[in-house]
Amino acid sequence: MKSFTVIQGIAAPMDRANVDTDMIIPKQFLKSIKRTGFGKNLFDELRYLDEGKPDQSCEGRPINTGFPLNFPRYKDASILLARENFGCGSSREHAPWALDDYGFRSVIAPSFADIFFNNCFKNGLLPIILSEEIVDRLFKEMYATEGYQLTVDLAAQTVTTPSGDSFGFEIDAFRKHCLLNGLDDIGLTLEHADKIRAYETRRRAEAPWLFDVVK
Amino acid sequence: MAKTLYDKLWDAHLVHQSDDGSALIYIDRHIVHEVTSPQAFDGLRMAGRKPWRVDSILATPDHNVPTTRKERAHGVSGIQDPVSLIQVKTLDDNCDEFGILEFKINDERQGIVHVVGPETGACLPGMTVVCGDSHTATNGALGSLAHGIGTSEVEHVMATQCLVAKKMKNMLIKVDGKLGLGVTPKDVVLAIIAKIGTAGGTGYAMEFGGQVFREMSMEGRMTVCNMAIEAGARAGMVAVDQTTIDYVKGRTFAPKGDLWEKAVAEWKNFVSDDGAHFDSVVEINGADIKPQVSWGTSPEMVVSVEDKVPDPASEIDPVKRNDMIRALQYMGLEANQPITSIHVDRVFIGSCTNSRIEDIRAAAEVVRGRQKAGSVKEAIVVPGSGAVKAQAEAEGLDKIFIAAGLEWREPGCSMCLAMNADKLGAGEHCASTSNRNFEGRQGYGGRTHLVSPAMAAAAAIAGHFVDVRTFN
């Protein structure tokens, strides 16, 4: 996994609540057996005016010019500002894959759905929870200032605006450690292999019906 | 100290607790389907890893499989959509390579993962169950800790048999009283989502308790737990009782003989203790719940069939008001129009929420001896598994549907998420027994209304939504 330390980038809006993972990446693109290439279909039904098909080039498709991500001012955005309950619905990890592939490194919202939130950390994408009031303020500043950039510092756990105002955010110590260092958790978990085996041995004796049945 | 059901399930599976609050939880059962697993298998191969415990995994293709008999006749190679075909084929290849038991496309045990898990006894009370699918909470009806995971976690569980987790908070949804006639588990869970919202359960493990759930069948409990995620909760669950034990007994992978007695003794402990602490408690009177119909593009946008489409003008919160306006626009509805005035173009009875035998029976009961309205272009009934299909056919339910002008299909996820050929056209309204009414979910531009199987069946006959309680 790629590491996340400090990023500074253009912020773009996704100004509605309950953005679901079907909206982030519609189901027809889930047929891919790869982890990459989802960026061109991020928010497909909002970005384009026609129905997207898997394995299709998006060049020449009719663009929805009313959708903010298509505005020139948000080109090259790497931070997405969003509203409450972002990423609800399906567990598809294709949602963070699509955001990452498009170029986003962080999503800032007042709240996230649990599974999406969790999936982000596995992909070097940082979801940041800030209060509704602060998020609202960031939205207003972003709309008012073309080229509005935010700086996210994971080590310091801060989001800083162009005027220098800084907002702190919370993050689990373990997740922070993994993101800062780009660590893959399978390797970390396997450091506890003896404990897993010990647990298994005990359960095999206590509850043998859990083992060797489905095969 | 008094513990909740979730506390007990957590404690029973805790392998390692770190000082930083994260923990390793042992996973007993891992269910796998074709959409969220290929990248996980690739990850294993790239790292030269093998599944930690192959016998913990059960696979079946469901999301992409076609549901017409014609397309199913030739098995995998008969799948017309080349991209779907590759995905189903990839699951077969991966399961063969790693030695994982898979119910392949035309195996009579194939079906929707969350229908197959409980009905085969692969998922049992007291277990931890995961699957790369957010509706895994369905299995919580058995008194298990079951939830969806992402593909990286699918790989993690395969490689380590554990999940890195942080303990969630406890929420109790208590529904007491008696449900009225014609009010189903689907209406109960939609009413819960209407009350607490789609983010109401975020961060919580949600236990469903109270008289309504004690009296509910196992399949009904599955419908309710299935939609816990639509209320924001990754895991939904119901305590083990005699209904649970009776349901599990005799199933293919359930323990037998002496082991059965031993297992039952352990399972009976999987209930919340008296006085256990819940961080949040929501109480609802079951007698107040009416048949529900969603009108918008989020499961919380739902009202009773007696109501009217809400008016954004009466919403104070500007973000919510804008969402309502956008939803009405997408759905092609007017504020204040009666729900019963909404015409339906298609009807879908199926999905991991409502495709079990009791659902099929309830729908058949409504359409028996009647005819689908001419204005309804298509009404499909998609059983959740080969076993459900066989049972329904043994009861002659397929014939009732066909005689009424509905279609009887082969098992799969079908129009719930329209990854196969079953989908809505742009602008079409659908009475759907599925779980999500998101924009485009059932087809590009499609308009989903979430309802119970009986309400969907009644809409198929009437051509618009009707109150099934008074539908003659």
Side-chain angles (χ1 to χ4, degrees):
Chain A
M1 189 178 76
K2 63 183 163 199
S3 62
F4 189 113
T5 49
V6 179
I7 60 149
Q8 183 178 14
I10 300 268
M14 189 60 205
D15 199 352
R16 54 167 94 182
N18 300 315
V19 169
D20 57 74
T21 53
D22 277 81
M23 191 177 286
I24 298 173
I25 183 83
K27 72 259 165 190
Q28 63 269 36
F29 307 110
L30 273 50
K31 296 183 189 189
S32 165
I33 57 172
K34 303 192 197 98
R35 260 176 194 264
T36 51
F38 296 101
K40 66 184 177 9
N41 300 113
L42 175 73
F43 298 122
D44 197 272
E45 292 183 6
L46 299 171
R47 262 165 85 190
Y48 305 99
L49 294 171
D50 62 346
E51 181 179 3
K53 307 231 162 29
D55 284 344
Q56 161 201 35
S57 160
C58 291
E59 276 170 40
R61 286 180 64 192
I63 297 289
N64 176 6
T65 52
F67 182 59
L69 284 191
N70 289 329
F71 297 176
R73 62 184 287 188
Y74 299 122
K75 195 173 169 287
D76 302 324
S78 57
I79 297 169
L80 189 66
L81 269 188
R83 298 289 186 181
E84 65 173 33
N85 200 28
F86 187 85
C88 62
S90 153
S91 64
R92 59 187 71 164
E93 198 161 317
H94 312 68
W97 294 340
L99 286 161
D100 172 70
D101 195 53
Y102 180 91
F104 286 114
R105 296 299 317 276
S106 180
V107 184
I108 300 174
S111 61
F112 291 89
D114 284 343
I115 302 179
F116 173 82
F117 189 71
N118 209 30
N119 283 340
C120 286
F121 289 102
K122 317 286 180 187
N123 296 284
L125 183 70
L126 177 61
I128 296 175
I129 300 172
L130 292 177
S131 74
E132 217 163 301
E133 199 187 344
I134 295 171
V135 170
D136 213 46
R137 179 176 151 188
L138 297 181
F139 263 103
K140 285 192 179 116
E141 291 183 7
M142 171 182 60
Y143 286 138
T145 322
E146 200 162 327
Y148 186 77
Q149 295 206 357
L150 290 170
T151 304
V152 175
D153 184 334
L154 177 57
Q157 296 179 217
T158 54
V159 174
T160 308
T161 68
S163 57
D165 289 331
S166 228
F167 305 102
F169 62 88
E170 296 295 318
I171 181 171
D172 275 4
F174 176 75
R175 284 173 163 157
K176 180 176 175 179
H177 174 71
C178 289
L179 263 185
L180 280 173
N181 299 292
L183 299 175
D184 146 37
D185 15 314
I186 293 179
L188 292 173
T189 297
L190 287 174
E191 289 174 10
H192 299 287
D194 289 347
K195 282 193 168 178
I196 304 170
R197 281 194 205 98
Y199 174 90
E200 231 167 23
T201 307
R202 175 168 66 78
R203 286 301 283 161
R204 259 182 206 277
E206 287 170 358
W209 61 86
L210 295 172
F211 297 86
D212 300 323
V213 178
V214 173
K215 57 183 181 181
Chain B
M1 205 184 92
K3 288 181 179 180
T4 65
L5 167 58
Y6 171 62
D7 293 340
K8 291 180 183 180
L9 288 163
W10 173 271
D11 290 350
H13 292 88
L14 188 62
V15 170
H16 173 75
Q17 176 75 59
S18 296
D19 298 337
D20 61 19
S22 73
L24 283 183
I25 291 295
Y26 189 84
I27 301 303
D28 294 313
R29 180 69 64 234
H30 188 183
I31 311 284
V32 168
H33 64 78
E34 78 278 20
V35 179
T36 54
S37 66
Q39 299 87 351
F41 282 113
D42 267 350
L44 287 184
R45 264 189 295 268
M46 282 194 305
R49 293 180 174 127
K50 287 202 167 4
W52 179 283
R53 231 190 85 205
V54 166
D55 72 288
S56 69
I57 311 170
L58 176 64
T60 191
D62 57 2
H63 285 60
N64 277 275
V65 298
T67 62
T68 58
R69 193 162 293 184
K70 197 174 154 212
E71 223 180 319
R72 280 291 268 273
H74 305 286
V76 183
S77 56
I79 300 176
Q80 310 252 307
D81 177 339
V83 200
S84 290
L85 186 144
I86 290 171
Q87 206 164 49
V88 175
K89 181 83 175 48
T90 302
L91 179 66
D92 290 357
D93 293 346
N94 283 325
C95 289
D96 291 346
E97 178 184 339
F98 289 102
I100 292 165
L101 177 64
E102 183 199 4
F103 298 155
K104 293 197 163 79
I105 184 165
N106 281 351
D107 187 310
E108 60 198 5
R109 298 165 296 178
Q110 177 270 342
I112 305 175
V113 279
H114 314 306
V115 176
V116 170
E119 81 180 3
T120 56
C123 300
L124 295 169
M127 273 185 170
T128 41
V129 179
V130 294
C131 172
D133 192 289
S134 60
H135 292 113
T136 308
T138 312
N139 295 285
L142 292 157
S144 68
L145 173 57
H147 61 75
I149 55 176
T151 298
S152 294
E153 289 175 318
V154 169
E155 182 183 341
H156 189 279
V157 172
M158 282 194 199
T160 69
Q161 211 55 44
C162 289
L163 200 59
V164 179
K166 200 176 171 188
K167 200 172 173 202
M168 297 181 265
K169 291 180 285 183
N170 280 288
M171 176 181 275
L172 176 65
I173 306 279
K174 197 160 180 281
V175 186
D176 279 314
K178 279 267 182 203
L179 293 181
L181 205 65
V183 178
T184 71
K186 180 65 162 289
D187 302 307
V188 173
V189 71
L190 286 172
I192 291 167
I193 297 164
K195 183 171 170 100
I196 71 172
T198 49
T202 304
Y204 291 95
M206 188 179 274
E207 179 175 344
F208 298 98
Q211 185 191 353
V212 161
F213 301 112
R214 294 270 64 87
E215 291 175 357
M216 197 177 274
S217 71
M218 279 307 290
E219 295 191 1
R221 294 175 187 180
M222 288 178 207
T223 298
V224 173
C225 290
N226 173 276
M227 290 189 71
I229 186 70
E230 264 55 69
R234 275 213 282 173
M237 58 193 75
V238 176
V240 173
D241 62 7
Q242 196 56 43
T243 304
T244 323
I245 308 287
D246 292 343
Y247 174 87
V248 174
K249 191 163 190 176
R251 298 202 178 257
T252 310
F253 299 124
K256 312 272 177 339
D258 289 349
L259 272 188
W260 170 255
E261 298 303 328
K262 207 175 162 193
V264 169
E266 186 182 294
W267 295 341
K268 284 190 168 162
N269 183 45
F270 286 109
V271 297
S272 287
D273 295 329
D274 287 340
H277 173 72
F278 286 91
D279 304 284
S280 172
V281 178
V282 175
E283 294 191 53
I284 293 175
N285 182 359
D288 293 343
I289 301 173
K290 295 167 187 165
Q292 305 282 305
V293 181
S294 75
W295 57 269
T297 53
S298 161
E300 69 184 19
M301 292 174 166
V302 63
V303 291
S304 98
V305 66
E306 293 175 356
D307 292 329
K308 292 178 172 152
V309 172
D311 191 342
S314 58
E315 175 59 56
I316 318 154
D317 180 335
V319 175
K320 277 199 175 129
R321 185 166 56 233
N322 280 336
D323 287 345
M324 286 172 77
I325 293 168
R326 194 154 31 214
L328 288 183
Q329 216 164 31
Y330 180 84
M331 295 297 289
L333 297 174
E334 299 288 334
N336 300 313
Q337 93 178 74
I339 291 293
T340 49
S341 71
I342 303 171
H343 286 260
V344 305
D345 302 291
R346 289 179 200 269
V347 174
F348 170 59
I349 297 169
S351 87
C352 57
T353 314
N354 281 127
S355 64
R356 296 174 186 80
I357 192 65
E358 290 174 11
D359 302 315
I360 307 292
R361 284 180 191 140
E365 201 47 52
V366 174
V367 304
R368 186 193 298 272
R370 292 165 154 159
Q371 274 304 311
K372 173 177 78 67
S375 58
V376 174
K377 294 176 201 164
E378 183 187 62
I380 61 174
V381 186
V382 186
S385 69
V388 172
K389 179 169 182 267
Q391 177 66 32
E393 289 175 358
E395 295 177 20
L397 305 181
D398 56 327
K399 295 195 175 62
I400 294 173
F401 290 120
I402 293 164
L406 284 73
E407 292 178 39
W408 178 243
R409 298 288 188 91
E410 301 295 309
C413 298
S414 181
M415 206 191 277
C416 173
L417 84 168
M419 277 189 77
N420 69 354
D422 308 335
K423 52 185 75 163
L424 299 181
E428 288 179 343
H429 288 266
C430 181
S432 178
T433 67
S434 56
N435 39 57
R436 292 190 174 132
N437 49 353
F438 299 154
E439 289 182 23
R441 168 95 178 171
Q442 291 193 291
Y444 185 74
R447 295 162 170 169
T448 305
H449 299 275
L450 304 174
V451 287
S452 73
M455 284 286 288
I461 301 300
H464 56 89
F465 289 107
V466 285
D467 189 339
V468 73
R469 296 171 300 177
T470 52
F471 183 56
N472 287 308

